[in-house]
Amino acid sequence: EAQVTQNPRYLITVTGKKLTVTCSQNMNHEYMSWYRQDPGLGLRQIYYSMNVEVTDKGDVPEGYKVSRKEKRNFPLILESPSPNQTSLYFCASSETRYTEAFFGQGTRLTVV
Amino acid sequence: KNEVEQSPQNLTAQEEEFITINCSYSVGISALHWLQQHPGGGIVSLFMLSSGKKKHGRLIATINIQEKHSSLHITASHPRDSAVYICAVRSLGAGSYQLTFGKGTKLSVIP
């Protein structure tokens, strides 16, 4: 089954403790991206990747890192999480940036 | 940067009603997406449009490129259609690397 898998689904952590949210797709898609969703602000892009080893910043990249060492995986790294990074995070992939997007199930992160 | 506006923000309808959700944007685009987000959070892509009209079951999406406007219609609405509907656009040129999202329309369909 074609899917985008994020882990974990729920995470509560403390300020400053490094964490990684994983994202994996099984569709051989070139384009992957990370979004955060906040009440009243909607979805905003954090980072995107055009292909292996090609990544770039979206609208809200501060406090986040990404890597794309393999085509299927696009982890989101928070080196020193802060409470303002409490949010619902989505990973998405598409064959190219011009084609339909497939979204992961979401990761609800709480930083206390 | 493209500005995406959706209307209405909230919509309550009776079962079987015909529903329209609108999306307008400020600068030219290469594509527009309609997404559905159910309570519990998962996001599903409904349509991707660059011109004209698309239909899938009871859902119809239209786009008018000249007017920078798209509509999502639901015919014979059902309580299971209750969800947040989100419009997203991919701009032209350098903006084509990113999607810009509307804030969503929360639809509640009452039996």
Side-chain angles (χ1 to χ4, degrees), chain A residues 36 38 46-47 57 60-66 76-79 84-87 89 109:
Chain A
R36 61 179 288 174
D38 301 290
I46 304 171
Y47 268 95
K57 296 175 182 177
V60 288
E62 296 79 18
Y64 304 95
K65 284 175 59 176
V66 293
L76 180 70
I77 302 154
L78 284 72
E79 294 268 3
N84 65 12
Q85 293 178 297
T86 292
S87 187
Y89 291 86
L109 172 66

Side-chain angles (χ1 to χ4, degrees), chain B residues 9-73:
Chain B
Q9 282 189 309
N10 294 283
L11 179 57
T12 301
Q14 293 287 330
E15 190 171 355
E16 292 293 320
E17 267 189 54
F18 180 85
I19 288 162
T20 296
I21 299 170
N22 295 299
C23 175
S24 60
Y25 50 92
S26 58
V27 300
I29 63 170
S30 60
L32 182 144
H33 298 251
W34 281 104
L35 310 170
Q36 180 190 56
Q37 185 174 25
H38 276 287
I43 296 175
V44 174
S45 176
L46 297 175
F47 295 104
M48 190 182 73
L49 297 162
S50 53
S51 64
K53 176 178 171 177
K54 287 191 176 181
K55 184 174 190 288
H56 185 249
R58 295 178 296 104
L59 273 58
I60 302 165
T62 64
I63 189 168
N64 185 318
I65 296 293
Q66 286 72 33
E67 293 187 5
K68 297 185 178 63
H69 181 269
S70 175
S71 293
L72 176 68
H73 305 286

Side-chain angles (χ1 to χ4, degrees), chain A residues 19-39:
Chain A
L19 67 92
T20 299
V21 184
T22 64
C23 174
S24 181
Q25 49 94 4
N26 63 359
M27 296 167 279
N28 201 37
H29 284 170
E30 289 188 350
Y31 184 86
M32 298 185 74
S33 54
W34 277 103
Y35 303 92
R36 61 179 288 174
Q37 186 178 38
D38 301 290

Side-chain angles (χ1 to χ4, degrees), chain A residues 31 37 40 45 59 90 97, chain B residues 37 41 90 96-98 103:
Chain A
Y31 184 86
Q37 186 178 38
Q45 190 167 39
D59 292 322
F90 288 97
R97 68 185 189 266
Chain B
Q37 185 174 25
R90 190 173 297 286
S96 69
Y97 291 96
Q98 298 178 236
K103 291 187 170 49

